[in-house]
Amino acid sequence: MGTVNFLRNAKINKKDEFYTQLKDIEKELKYYKKYFKNKTVYCNCDDPKVSKFFYYFFYSFEKLKLKKLITACYKKDDLNILWKSNPKKGIYATHNGDSKKIIIKNLKGDGDFRSFECINLLKQADIIVTNPPFSLFREYVSQLIKFKKKFIILGHQNAITYKNIFNYIKNKKMWLGHSIKSGDREFQVSNSYDLASSSKRVDKDGKKYVRVPGVRWFTNIDYKERHLELTLAKRFDKKNYIKYENYDAININKTKDIPFDYIGYMGVPITFLDKYNPDQFEIIGLGISNSGKEIGVKPYKPKHKKFRKEIQKRGAVDGDLYMIVDGIVTVPYARIIIRNKKL
């Protein structure tokens, strides 16, 4: 199943509950261990019965020297076997390190992270760590930014092109984590999940899993690997680098092809952010739609609008970068405009 269809179906069918595997959590959180001392961690999209985020922090409570652990869960259709639960109500759990004791209570509402109750829990926390609903990622991140919370969360790389998410990245309010650079990740899903994806499996215990392409960690907590300088080996030659027709920048198809000696603007794929060093590069903007207009991407010429309408089955969108390759209009997907700060 294609990435776009996967995310669209998740939103339409409300099947946004993907349970992150413990090994993926451990690989990422090892870069931030020093930040958890004396902090309250809130996993606000997690059922403590199945969440590996809750599992990780519960069993690492003393090692990380946490102050408190809170988790909250959206209402469930199936009754919980570990405690009395109202299927129309959410639940929340707290742990303060006292003899492995977990206090579990029903919420008055459904446990939506936007609810008054869950926002009050959010206000108590220092660091938010979870896998939020992909279809609500814009709203979810905006809430964390509004309340000035530190966070380490999972999302999809397509979210980089959302206007508010990209602006947070551009303005250094969030960035990508370190442990996932490419490929896909496997998530456990509920037993009621329809395994229509081609990347699926059922284990020997009957648990269902799906592989989701393009997953990334997003955070606003710094780590030293983020400041490693990207080694550039290519020298600029205008014969090898095509300029856009409607913006003064050269097109780069792969991060490894960024020239070390080019002083102008460059359009790079969104996967560039996997290796983005804020000390080495400056992000100028995003060359698509209204975001492109904001940085001065010029409108399409009439003959090129006709090409887009006939070949791409859509009307021309002002703000999108395009170039001419072998006499043909070519529209690269989602280019981030950058420049080398060290030149």
Side-chain angles (χ1 to χ4, degrees), residues 42-100:
Y42 182 29
C43 306
N44 60 346
C45 299
D46 296 85
D47 181 347
K49 180 168 67 79
V50 296
S51 170
K52 293 300 188 292
F53 285 103
F54 181 81
Y55 180 97
Y56 174 85
F57 286 112
F58 180 76
Y59 286 103
S60 302
F61 195 96
E62 294 180 0
K63 184 177 180 180
L64 294 174
K65 299 181 180 180
L66 293 177
K67 178 182 179 181
K68 187 176 183 180
L69 173 61
I70 309 172
T71 185
C73 175
Y74 190 68
K75 65 181 182 179
K76 298 285 186 179
D77 293 330
D78 55 328
L79 291 176
N80 243 308
I81 62 173
L82 296 184
W83 53 79
K84 293 181 180 180
S85 177
N86 184 332
K88 295 183 179 180
K89 305 292 184 182
I91 59 169
Y92 75 100
T94 59
H95 173 60
N96 62 9
D98 181 19
S99 302
K100 301 296 182 182

